[in-house]
Amino acid sequence: CKILRCNSEYVAATLHLRGPDRGAAFCTALRSYSLCTRRTARTCRGDLAFHSAVHGIEDLMIQNNCSKEGPTAPPRPRPPAPNPHGFESLDICDYERSFLYKHGRPPGFQHCAAFGDPHIRTFHDDFHTCRVEGSWPLLDNDYLFVQATSSPVAKGSNATVTSKLTIIFKNMKECIDQKVYQAELDNVPAAFQDGSVNGGARPGGSSLVIWERSPGRHVEIRAAYIGTTIAVRQAGRQLSFSIRAAEEVARAFTEEQDLQLCVGGCPHSQRMSRSPRGRGRVPAETAQALCREMLPVEDVYFQSCVFDVVTSGDTNFTMAAHGALEDARLFLPDAEKLHIFQ
C-alpha cells in the first residue's frame, strides 16, 4: 500500500498555496490526490490511513467547491530519500505537516484558558471560577507541564488571581532541549529562563520560539514540534494563560496525571459562584457598564469580567477578560464555540 506516497505528494503540492487565490491550484492538487488513492485502492483496502485519506479528500472537495472533473497535476519529482521512510528528518519537528503526511488530514486542536479570578475554560469547553490559592497544575502530560500560582485578589478576599506561571517544554530528543518559561507579575519576559528564545542547538530548535506581542505584557510561544501555541498576558495585577494544543498532545497523559485544570476544571471543593453576594468594591451596575464596553456579548467572559471588577475594584480586569476572548477567537478550532452561556 503506497498511501503515504499519495499523502506526501499532496502535502508537497499544497504547501506553498496560501490566500484567497489558491482555489484552482488547490482543486487540481485534490484531484491528483484522489487519482493517486484510486490507483492504490486494491492494495490499500484494509489500511485505515487509506480510508481516512479518501474521506478527507471528499470533505475538502466539497468545502472548496472543487469539481471532480478537471486537470490533475503530474506528480512532483521526488528527491533522493534522506531516510528509509522518504520523509525529511526535520519534518518530525513540524507536527502539523508530519500529521498530515501520516494521516492524510490536518490534526484536530483543543483550547484552554485561565484568566482573572482565576476562571478556567477547559479543553472540553466547561467553564469554572476557582478559589485555588497556592500552586495548581493547568497541564501535566508527556510534552508539557504548566503550573499556575495564585494569591488573593485583595486582602481578606476569597477570590484569587494568577500571580506566577511556570511552563516546562519537556525534552524531545529529535527537536528541542528541555526549556522552562516563567512569568511573574511585572515580569513577562520574551525569553526562557536560560535566556534563549528558541528550542536550543538541536536541528529542530527553531520549532520552539517566543514572540513578544507587547513588551512586558503579552508573549506568544509557538511549539511547532507539538502543534501547540501558548499566549501569556498581564492585565492589571494578574496573569492569564491561553493554549491551542493538538488533540493528541492534550490527551498524552496517564491516570497518575489526573489533576489538570485544563482537563478536568476546578475540583468541586474549589469552585465558586460568579454571583458575588454582599458588598463589593464596585457596584454591580458600574462593573456591568465597564465590561460591556469591552465585551458586548453577555457570555461567561462578560460574567467573569463583572465578577472580577466587583470583587477587586480593579477595572484592568476588563482587559483580562477581553484578552482571553481574543485568544479564544484565535485559538478555538470551532468558531461557533467561542461564546459560552450559563
Side-chain angles (χ1 to χ4, degrees):
C1 177
K2 295 182 178 177
I3 189 61
L4 292 184
R5 170 180 280 186
C6 297
N7 292 349
S8 62
E9 286 175 353
Y10 168 69
V11 169
T14 57
L15 204 58
H16 65 287
L17 299 178
R18 294 285 185 275
D21 299 326
R22 69 173 192 164
F26 190 71
C27 288
T28 298
L30 277 175
R31 284 191 289 269
S32 300
Y33 192 11
S34 178
L35 179 63
C36 188
T37 59
R38 289 199 299 274
R39 286 173 176 162
T40 63
R42 179 178 294 179
T43 54
C44 291
R45 274 182 306 183
D47 192 293
L48 284 176
F50 168 78
H51 292 288
S52 175
V54 170
H55 290 300
I57 292 166
E58 289 178 4
D59 290 343
L60 284 169
M61 291 190 86
I62 292 168
Q63 290 168 23
N64 292 274
N65 294 322
C66 295
S67 168
K68 291 184 179 181
E69 302 298 324
T72 57
R76 293 163 64 94
R78 297 173 62 82
N83 60 45
H85 304 289
F87 195 53
E88 293 286 350
S89 58
L90 285 185
D91 285 339
I92 199 168
C93 299
D94 184 334
Y95 179 86
E96 292 187 48
R97 187 176 179 188
S98 177
F99 190 97
L100 184 60
Y101 176 88
K102 291 174 185 173
H103 302 284
R105 61 176 177 82
F109 295 94
Q110 294 181 324
H111 168 59
C112 168
F115 68 96
D117 182 67
H119 311 285
I120 306 292
R121 178 177 184 144
T122 74
F123 283 137
H124 310 295
D125 302 315
D126 294 321
F127 200 92
H128 302 146
T129 296
C130 309
R131 188 191 287 111
V132 285
E133 193 168 348
S135 296
W136 292 74
L138 293 171
L139 283 170
D140 182 11
N141 61 41
D142 294 349
Y143 303 96
L144 285 168
F145 177 78
V146 181
Q147 180 173 277
T149 301
S150 297
S151 53
V153 65
K155 192 173 181 180
S157 173
N158 280 334
T160 57
V161 290
T162 300
S163 53
K164 181 178 178 181
L165 280 166
T166 302
I167 306 170
I168 300 174
F169 296 87
K170 298 180 182 180
N171 173 58
M172 190 166 170
K173 186 169 63 176
E174 304 89 343
C175 301
I176 66 150
D177 302 318
Q178 177 169 294
K179 291 289 176 178
V180 179
Y181 178 81
Q182 196 159 286
E184 299 184 65
L185 287 176
D186 301 322
N187 182 19
V188 181
F192 295 106
Q193 266 196 321
D194 61 5
S196 65
V197 294
N198 60 33
R202 297 186 185 180
S206 61
S207 64
L208 175 64
V209 292
I210 294 184
W211 299 88
E212 189 172 55
R213 292 300 186 194
S214 176
R217 294 286 165 185
H218 180 196
V219 298
E220 190 173 283
I221 308 172
R222 297 181 187 173
Y225 69 100
I226 51 173
T228 294
T229 304
I230 291 172
V232 175
R233 298 175 184 256
Q234 177 172 339
R237 307 304 300 160
Q238 64 91 37
L239 298 173
S240 64
F241 166 88
S242 294
I243 186 170
R244 174 187 186 258
E247 288 177 350
E248 193 175 47
V249 171
R251 294 171 182 165
F253 58 89
T254 63
E255 289 181 11
E256 289 74 31
Q257 297 164 301
D258 59 338
L259 181 57
Q260 301 180 63
L261 300 190
C262 273
V263 176
C266 308
H268 282 279
S269 62
Q270 300 291 323
R271 295 179 191 176
M272 296 177 67
S273 164
R274 280 189 300 282
S275 301
R277 295 174 181 172
R279 292 182 61 188
R281 293 170 183 262
V282 171
E285 295 78 11
T286 304
Q288 287 169 355
L290 288 166
C291 292
R292 201 169 283 118
E293 290 178 17
M294 303 295 292
L295 302 151
V297 178
E298 297 191 12
D299 59 1
V300 290
Y301 293 97
F302 174 83
Q303 293 170 14
S304 301
C305 173
V306 172
F307 176 89
D308 291 346
V309 173
V310 168
T311 306
S312 68
D314 184 353
T315 58
N316 283 303
F317 276 98
T318 60
M319 294 301 297
H322 176 72
L325 182 62
E326 287 306 297
D327 287 337
R329 207 183 299 278
L330 285 172
F331 290 172
L332 266 176
D334 184 352
E336 291 184 4
K337 293 183 178 178
L338 177 62
H339 299 290
I340 299 174
F341 299 93
Q342 291 181 342

